[in-house]
Amino acid sequence: MNAGAVIFSRLVNQTAAGSRIFPLVLPQDATFPAVTYQQISSVRTHAMGQDGAIIRVRVQINSWGRSYAEARTLAGEVETQLSRFKGTVGGTRVLDVLLDNEIETYESETQARRVIQDFTFLLLSP
């Protein structure tokens, strides 16, 4: 189960970030706007001595911009591409994607603006 592959596939060429979508860390010389993501948890269901079919994956997605407007616009595009998405991406069956939380922040070290979104991916195990 790879939520990262789903994120990249849904966002590349569909958002202002283009292919600037990175796992975990924003490269030091990154061009903005850009996206980073990281898996926070992956919880499997268990019932009556067997594993359930649904995996609940929590992912944090960061939309980065030089300006507040740029970061907000990108976050809106991320939400549009991911929220309530259902389908199959590269062999991963996505039952639903839920936007759970959103935070805005300023990074003084890079002088970048960031919108942090927490998503829950409901994936079907193979």
Side-chain angles (χ1 to χ4, degrees), residues 69-87:
E70 186 175 57
R72 280 288 350 149
T73 298
L74 180 57
E77 294 170 347
V78 168
E79 180 179 354
T80 296
Q81 291 302 314
L82 292 177
S83 188
R84 305 314 302 223
F85 171 73
K86 299 167 184 66

Side-chain angles (χ1 to χ4, degrees), residues 1 8 13 21 33-34 37 40 49 58 68 73-74 86 103 105 107-108 110 112 119-120 126:
M1 297 288 107
F8 189 86
N13 301 323
I21 303 166
Y37 64 90
I40 303 302
R58 185 167 167 239
Y68 175 80
T73 298
L74 180 57
K86 299 167 184 66
I103 303 166
T105 187
E107 302 294 325
S108 59
T110 61
F119 286 90
T120 297

Side-chain angles (χ1 to χ4, degrees), residues 4-120:
V6 174
I7 292 165
F8 189 86
S9 174
R10 295 289 300 162
L11 300 184
V12 69
N13 301 323
Q14 301 298 318
T15 66
S19 62
R20 295 180 303 278
I21 303 166
F22 308 100
L24 302 176
V25 179
L26 188 65
Q28 197 167 18
D29 60 346
T31 301
F32 293 99
V35 169
T36 57
Y37 64 90
Q38 75 179 68
Q39 180 174 304
I40 303 302
S41 65
S42 178
V43 179
R44 296 178 180 269
T45 56
H46 306 285
M48 307 302 271
Q50 64 183 12
D51 292 333
I54 297 174
I55 302 171
R56 189 177 188 89
V57 180
R58 185 167 167 239
V59 178
Q60 177 181 310
I61 299 177
N62 302 291
S63 296
W64 298 86
R66 281 283 169 222
S67 69
Y68 175 80
E70 186 175 57
R72 280 288 350 149
T73 298
L74 180 57
E77 294 170 347
V78 168
E79 180 179 354
T80 296
Q81 291 302 314
L82 292 177
S83 188
R84 305 314 302 223
F85 171 73
K86 299 167 184 66
T88 302
V89 176
T92 298
R93 176 108 184 265
V94 181
L95 301 176
D96 208 350
V97 179
L98 310 168
L99 176 58
D100 295 323
N101 191 32
E102 190 171 87
I103 303 166
E104 298 172 345
T105 187
Y106 173 73
E107 302 294 325
S108 59
E109 189 174 310
T110 61
Q111 296 183 348
R113 280 66 174 179
R114 175 169 62 140
V115 177
I116 303 165
Q117 295 170 309
D118 292 328
F119 286 90
T120 297

